[in-house]
Amino acid sequence: MSRPRPPRAAAAVLIPTLNEATALPRLLGDLAAQQGIELEVLVADGGSSDLTTAIARRHGAQVIACPRGRGAQLNRAAAAATAPWLICLHADSRLTHAHQLAQALKALREARRQHALVAGHWPLRFLREQPGHDALFRHLEAKSASNRPGTVNGDQGLVLHRDTLHALGGFDEGLPFFEDQRLAAKVFAQGRFLLLPGLVETAARRFEAEGHAPRLMLMALIVG
């Protein structure tokens, strides 16, 4: 008697990494706890020198060695994925409830019946270890929920069908970053962005490590 085949994954989770051994296990735990959806998890590693890849394999993720740069890493992971839907998450992202990804795919499947080119993202909540700067983080969180051009980036996650990614030309590999904002701009220009139910949490580590004012000035300079 032949063994039954495992169900095909509905979505592939693509995680670009570089020395994320501290943050990655928490996200992988969130993914393992998701209900109502079959997932394949691909960690696209840009040459970590810590235990990132060993941790990924230990949690059952497929590890793909990639050139460094999030655009290239995400493109390689998307090419290796077999599932029709792609969920792009940063290694320091956290999911907030067990049905979050199943609900996201349900919303996008319904939206795709009316819009050929549609993608989704979540609003943000920052995970902070230091007190203060409440107004700043409230502003950034509200901005992430506005669903307006120029407000969507990779910290908010990205969910789209692989055909949509292909139609958009994939992720830009011209710079080591900004692949998220460039793809988001194409979605706004050619299709529709959907604000997904729930929240994605992200670490405020860069603000806390670099200082809040210097981090904001650096972000403005980069965008400029």
Side-chain angles (χ1 to χ4, degrees):
M1 180 182 297
S2 60
R3 294 181 180 179
R5 293 182 179 179
R8 183 189 179 194
V13 181
L14 317 181
I15 309 170
T17 58
L18 181 65
N19 295 328
E20 292 287 2
T22 300
L24 185 60
R26 293 189 284 267
L27 173 58
L28 295 176
D30 291 344
L31 294 172
Q34 290 296 296
Q35 299 178 21
I37 187 171
E38 292 293 331
L39 299 171
E40 58 177 324
V41 181
L42 298 94
V43 171
D45 190 70
S48 293
S49 58
D50 63 2
L51 295 175
T52 295
T53 57
I55 290 169
R57 292 188 179 97
R58 192 182 310 144
H59 282 78
Q62 179 182 349
V63 175
I64 303 166
C66 305
R68 187 174 301 186
R70 282 201 306 255
Q73 289 170 245
L74 287 167
N75 282 336
R76 302 305 186 278
T82 62
W85 288 91
L86 307 174
I87 303 171
C88 306
L89 293 170
H90 288 181
D92 61 351
S93 296
R94 298 296 308 274
L95 303 177
T96 51
H97 63 87
H99 294 276
Q100 185 164 352
L101 299 187
Q103 290 178 0
L105 255 62
K106 180 181 178 182
L108 282 164
R109 283 170 174 151
E110 292 174 354
R112 198 164 181 253
R113 295 191 185 104
Q114 300 178 1
H115 301 272
L117 197 153
V118 63
H121 70 93
W122 288 275
L124 280 179
R125 181 166 60 204
F126 282 91
L127 295 172
R128 299 154 59 190
E129 296 182 1
Q130 300 175 7
H133 302 279
D134 294 347
L136 167 64
F137 288 107
R138 282 198 300 269
H139 168 72
L140 293 174
E141 289 170 352
K143 185 178 177 182
S144 76
S146 67
N147 201 30
R148 297 196 305 265
T151 66
V152 178
N153 58 57
D155 287 332
Q156 296 164 239
L158 174 69
V159 188
L160 73 174
H161 197 276
R162 63 166 52 257
D163 292 344
T164 301
L165 182 63
H166 178 73
L168 294 171
F171 289 96
D172 192 327
E173 300 185 16
L175 290 173
F177 46 81
F178 271 157
E179 82 296 332
D180 48 1
Q181 294 190 22
R182 289 178 172 181
L183 194 74
K186 290 182 180 180
V187 173
F188 279 113
Q190 301 177 37
R192 179 191 175 198
F193 241 130
L194 191 68
L195 190 66
L196 297 171
L199 292 167
V200 160
E201 295 179 328
T202 188
R205 56 184 179 175
R206 291 186 176 87
F207 286 97
E208 294 173 343
E210 300 170 13
H212 297 74
R215 180 64 188 174
L216 281 175
M217 287 188 289
L218 177 61
M219 289 165 62
L221 284 170
I222 291 172
V223 171

